[in-house]
Amino acid sequence: IQGYVVGSEVVFLYGLTSLVQARKTKEDIWKTRGHESMKKVKKLAKDYPSSYQHKLLLLEAESAFNAGSKSIASEKYEQAVTLSRKNEFVQDQALCCELAGKFYAEQHNEYKASHYYGKAHELYLEWGAKGKADYLRENFPF
């Protein structure tokens, strides 16, 4: 089962990375890879909702962000943060908050961006990722 868990995390992270690359490069190959990973995570979320539903929501938020669907992206980020907190995935909640902060910063919503970056910072510290927390503090407004 350990290999399955690691493999499913790789699928999620590959999808997330692909969607971020799609936004940066505007290359369709990254969008396609992101959506392929999203399909796999969707199946995982169906089979193991408490472990994967928040990850699917985060992928959907990033996809909506890429598509310019701001209200859908906002809703999906909020849901991903809430569900990762409910299911006690501190590291995933930190990631959801960080990416929500980035989304709101790009929408010029400094209040929400600051809130989410600050929350991500707190959660990374709680998780023990001091280096990541320091990076956020030094590079992002909150």
Side-chain angles (χ1 to χ4, degrees), residues 5 8-9 41 44-45 48-57:
V5 172
S8 61
E9 280 297 303
V41 173
L44 290 165
Y48 310 100
S50 64
S51 296
Y52 291 97
Q53 187 63 39
H54 64 278
K55 293 175 183 186
L56 177 60
L57 288 164

Side-chain angles (χ1 to χ4, degrees), residues 106-122:
E106 291 196 21
Q107 306 312 307
H108 306 290
N109 185 334
E110 285 83 19
Y111 177 79
K112 281 196 169 187
S114 178
H115 167 76
Y116 279 108
Y117 279 133
K119 189 65 179 168
H121 179 264
E122 291 172 19

Side-chain angles (χ1 to χ4, degrees), residues 38-82:
M38 205 177 333
K39 287 179 193 173
K40 293 174 184 175
V41 173
K42 189 172 193 170
K43 180 176 181 350
L44 290 165
K46 182 179 177 232
D47 295 341
Y48 310 100
S50 64
S51 296
Y52 291 97
Q53 187 63 39
H54 64 278
K55 293 175 183 186
L56 177 60
L57 288 164
L58 184 57
L59 290 171
E60 290 173 342
E62 288 288 302
S63 180
F65 183 8
N66 289 355
S69 302
K70 296 174 189 173
S71 62
I72 293 171
S74 178
E75 179 182 318
K76 298 288 184 177
Y77 284 118
E78 302 283 341
Q79 291 173 345
V81 169
T82 299

Side-chain angles (χ1 to χ4, degrees), residues 1 4 13 24 26 37 41 54 62 95 101 108 112 117-118:
I1 188 115
Y4 181 75
L13 293 171
K24 287 181 179 179
K26 308 292 186 222
S37 292
V41 173
H54 64 278
E62 288 288 302
L95 180 60
H108 306 290
K112 281 196 169 187
Y117 279 133

Side-chain angles (χ1 to χ4, degrees), residues 78-97:
E78 302 283 341
Q79 291 173 345
V81 169
T82 299
L83 202 51
S84 59
R85 180 180 57 246
K86 177 185 172 202
N87 292 320
E88 301 179 359
F89 285 94
V90 175
Q91 73 281 14
D92 292 339
Q93 186 184 358
L95 180 60
C96 291
C97 287

